[in-house]
Amino acid sequence: MGIFRSIACLCVIALTGATTHGQILLDLDVAPGYQGLQERQVKPGETFGIELVANGGAKGKTGFSIKLRFDKTQVRFKGVKVGGLMAGAMSMPAKKLPTGVEVNAAIMGLVGASADNGSLGQLLFEATPNLTHTAIEIATASFGSRAGIVTIEAGPGVKISNPDAPAMTSSQPQPPAAAQNPKPQSSGSQGFQNPPGPPMGTQPPT
C-alpha cells in the first residue's frame, strides 16, 4: 500500500512541476523548444528574437492570441514569425496597446497544432537608444480552437539589458528623516505661571 502511495505522490509532484511555468512561455534562446534563457544583453539598435513556446494544451488548437507588456521607450516590437506548431498560420497586424501590443495568429483550416508542446514562432524586437534594463512579459494569452477561445496561463517574462548601461542597484537611497522638535519639558504645575518677582502684597524696596 505504501508503494502505491509513493508512486501517486511522485506523479502529483511531476504534474505540478510541469505546469509551474505556464502553458505559453518566452525564451530568449531561439533554438526550437524551450531552453529557459530568461536574460540577455543587447545593445541599442540591435534586433533580437524571442521564441514563443507552447508548454501543454496546444494540440488541435488553430491559433493563439497574446498581449505583450513592455516599455516602449526601451524596446520596439517589429513583428512575429509564426512557425513550429503553427506553421502555415496567418499572423494579423499587431494591435498597439498603451503598455505593449496584442499579437494574433490563426490557421486557416480545420487542422490544428499536431502536438501539445513546441514552438509557436518568434517575436522580433529592436532595442531603442534608451535601452537600459527592461522586461518583456505576456500579460494575457489564449488558444483558439474550433470549440472557441481557451484562456491559458502565461509563464514568466524575460529581461533585456544594455551592457553599457549603469548597473541597477537593489535599493534606492532613502531621503533623510525630518528633524523632530524636542518635546518641551513639563513642569509640576499646569496653566498660567506668574512671572518671577516679589510675593504678592509686598512692595519692592525703593
Side-chain angles (χ1 to χ4, degrees), residues 26 66-70 77 99-101 103 123 125 137-139:
L26 298 178
I66 58 174
K67 290 183 180 180
L68 296 168
R69 180 169 52 224
F70 54 89
F77 182 73
T99 58
V101 295
V103 180
L123 306 169
F125 285 85
E137 303 170 320
I138 299 177

Side-chain angles (χ1 to χ4, degrees), residues 44-146:
E46 184 178 347
T47 299
F48 60 95
I50 302 176
E51 190 81 358
L52 185 64
V53 184
N55 187 39
K59 188 172 183 178
K61 301 302 185 291
T62 56
F64 65 84
S65 176
I66 58 174
K67 290 183 180 180
L68 296 168
R69 180 169 52 224
F70 54 89
D71 185 348
K72 294 182 179 181
T73 66
Q74 299 199 56
V75 292
R76 184 179 299 114
F77 182 73
K78 301 293 290 182
V80 57
K81 289 183 178 179
V82 184
L85 298 179
M86 291 290 159
M90 178 181 297
S91 61
M92 316 301 176
K95 180 181 178 181
K96 294 182 180 180
L97 302 174
T99 58
V101 295
E102 180 179 336
V103 180
N104 297 279
I107 299 174
M108 299 292 107
L110 299 178
V111 180
S114 59
D116 279 328
N117 306 323
S119 174
L120 302 174
Q122 288 184 23
L123 306 169
L124 302 178
F125 285 85
E126 180 184 355
T128 73
N130 300 319
L131 175 64
T132 54
H133 311 272
T134 192
I136 300 173
E137 303 170 320
I138 299 177
T140 62
S142 61
F143 281 139
S145 69
R146 292 186 295 273

Side-chain angles (χ1 to χ4, degrees), residues 168-182:
M168 293 182 66
T169 56
S170 58
S171 60
Q172 298 294 329
Q174 299 296 324
Q180 296 183 355
N181 294 326

